Amino acid sequence: MGGGAAGFFGAIACAEANPDLNVILLEKTTKLLSKVRVSGGGRCNVTHHCFSPAQLVQFYPRGGKHLKEPFKQFGAQDTVQWFERRGVPLKTEADGRMFPTTDSSETVAKCLEQAAQRAGVRVLTSTAAERIEPLAGGGFCLYLSGNQELRVGKLLVATGGNAKSAAYDWLRHLGHTICEPVPSLFTFNVPNSPLKELMGVSVPQARVVLAGEKLEYEGPLLVTHWGVSGPAVLKLSAWGARRLHELQYTGMALVNWAPAHTEETMRQWLQSFRNENGKKIVAANPLFGLPQRLWRTLVEQAGIGSETRWSELAGKLQNRLLELLLRTPLPVRGKTTFKEEFVTCGGVPLSEVNLKTMESCRVPGLHFAGEVLDIDGITGGFNFQAAWTTGYLAGRAMATT
C-alpha cells in the first residue's frame, strides 16, 4: 500500500525475488511517486555518498541507532548500483548529495515505474484501503474504496508520514502503538526579521543556535522573504523536531555568520584588521566572506555610519558589530513547510518491527517501509535511502517467507 518510493521499491523487490507471486501496488490518489518527482527541486536527491553504515546512521535524528544492520544489507552503495543496473547512473555533488546525471527526477520516477512493469507488478491508482482486517488463517482482507474487497497473503504498508495522529488510527486498530507525529525539516518564520530586506542572500557557512536550548547546526543559510531557510535551519529543525513542537515553533534563533571564530579570536582579528586598514570605510568593505548586502545591514544595525572609517570607529560600536556577527537575534514565530522539505517525525516504533524483514512483531504478515516508520533523516538524500532500504528488505522478505 502506497505508491511512493518505499512502496515501489518494496513491490519491485518482492516481484523480482519471486516472479510467481501476484504483487499488487495500491495508491489512493491518481499520482504515483509524487514526492520523488518534486524532491531536490525536481532533480531528485536519490541518496548520499556515504557508504559506511556506521557513518550513515548518524544522519538520522530518529531511527539511526536501529538502521546500522539494515544498511549493511542494503545501503547507499547498493542504491547506486541498483539504479545504474537499470540505466540511471548517479553523480555526487560537493556536499555528498547524489542525483541522476540527467538532473531530472522524472528519470528516477520512470525507472521505478518501468522496473515495476517489467517485474509484473500490478499498479492500481485511485484505490484506497478503507479498512484492513487480519484473517483467521493468515493474511488480510482489504476493504477498498468502491465497495471492493481484496484478500492478500502479506501486506506492505508504505503509506508515508502524516502530521495528523488520527491518520494512524487504523494501525492502532491492528495492534500497533504510534510515536506521535510532528513535522520535521521545516524553515523558520521570522515576521519581524531584521534581515527582511535581504531576500535571496545566502552564506555558505553559518551556525544557527536556538537560545536557551541545546540545539544548534552549522551549514549554508538562506535569507527568505518569510525568515530563514537553507540546510543549517532545516537540519536544526530535524534534530529539534519534538522540542520545537513543544515550544510551538517560537523562540530566539541566534545566527553566527563567522562560525570559524570564537568571540576572543574575532575580537583579535577585528582589532588587527582595524590597525592595518584604518582608512577603509567599514560599510564598504565586507569581512569574513559575507555578501555586501548582508555586511551593510549588520554594520547599519550596529549603529555605524555609512561613511565611517575603521580608524574613526568607536569601541562601543565595534563591540556591537562583533555581537551581531556572532549572535544576530531572529525572533522565530512559526514554521514554513514545502513539499520537498516536509518529513514526519513519528510513526510506527521500530521496537515493534523485525528490522531484518520489516515485519510487524505484533501482526504476522504485516510489513512496513518508508516514512510510516519512526525513521527520519536530515536533508541530503537520507530519507530516500531509508525508503529504499526498508522497502527492499520488506519486499525480499515477503517473497521468501
Side-chain angles (χ1 to χ4, degrees), residues 162-163 179-184 186 241-242 245 249 342-346:
N162 197 302
C179 296
E180 286 299 309
V182 299
S184 180
F186 46 83
R242 292 210 175 275
H245 180 72
Y249 308 104
F342 176 74
V343 170
T344 300
C345 156

Side-chain angles (χ1 to χ4, degrees), residues 268-282:
Q268 292 172 349
W269 197 95
L270 285 176
Q271 192 57 47
S272 175
F273 181 87
R274 173 181 182 144
N275 293 340
E276 296 173 10
N277 301 274
K279 293 182 180 180
K280 288 187 176 180
I281 294 174
V282 178

Side-chain angles (χ1 to χ4, degrees), residues 299-319:
V299 168
E300 182 182 324
Q301 288 173 2
I304 300 170
S306 60
E307 299 301 320
T308 302
R309 301 180 187 276
W310 277 101
S311 60
E312 305 164 346
L313 185 60
K316 184 178 180 181
L317 297 184
Q318 183 171 312
N319 287 338

Side-chain angles (χ1 to χ4, degrees), residues 31-54:
K31 297 178 180 179
L32 297 168
L33 298 163
S34 56
K35 213 167 196 179
V36 168
R37 287 185 157 93
V38 302
S39 75
R43 296 168 62 213
C44 190
N45 183 185
V46 177
T47 187
H48 200 91
H49 195 280
C50 181
F51 296 162
S52 162

Side-chain angles (χ1 to χ4, degrees), residues 48-179:
H48 200 91
H49 195 280
C50 181
F51 296 162
S52 162
Q55 292 177 354
L56 189 56
V57 298
Q58 296 174 22
F59 297 97
Y60 294 84
R62 265 73 49 184
K65 65 180 181 179
H66 299 281
L67 288 171
K68 190 173 180 180
E69 290 304 316
F71 283 151
K72 287 181 181 178
Q73 299 304 310
F74 192 91
Q77 192 164 17
D78 300 297
T79 297
V80 173
Q81 293 170 353
W82 192 97
F83 280 99
E84 284 187 345
R85 284 197 301 268
R86 290 161 179 81
V88 181
L90 305 181
K91 61 178 180 177
T92 306
E93 301 204 337
D95 60 3
R97 293 180 301 161
M98 300 193 73
F99 294 87
T101 55
T102 59
D103 277 328
S104 171
S105 58
E106 200 60 33
T107 306
V108 178
K110 285 181 178 178
C111 172
L112 292 166
E113 290 176 339
Q114 289 168 0
Q117 186 177 26
R118 283 195 301 269
V121 176
R122 287 175 57 204
V123 179
L124 303 179
T125 57
S126 302
T127 307
E130 297 177 344
R131 187 160 56 93
I132 298 169
E133 295 292 344
L135 298 173
F140 305 87
C141 182
L142 279 60
Y143 297 88
L144 307 178
S145 48
N147 294 318
Q148 300 179 76
E149 291 184 16
L150 178 65
R151 293 183 176 237
V152 298
K154 296 183 183 298
L155 178 64
L156 172 60
V157 174
T159 49
N162 197 302
K164 296 179 180 178
S165 182
Y168 297 86
D169 283 348
W170 64 280
L171 288 173
R172 294 184 178 99
H173 171 73
L174 290 175
H176 276 280
T177 58
I178 297 295
C179 296

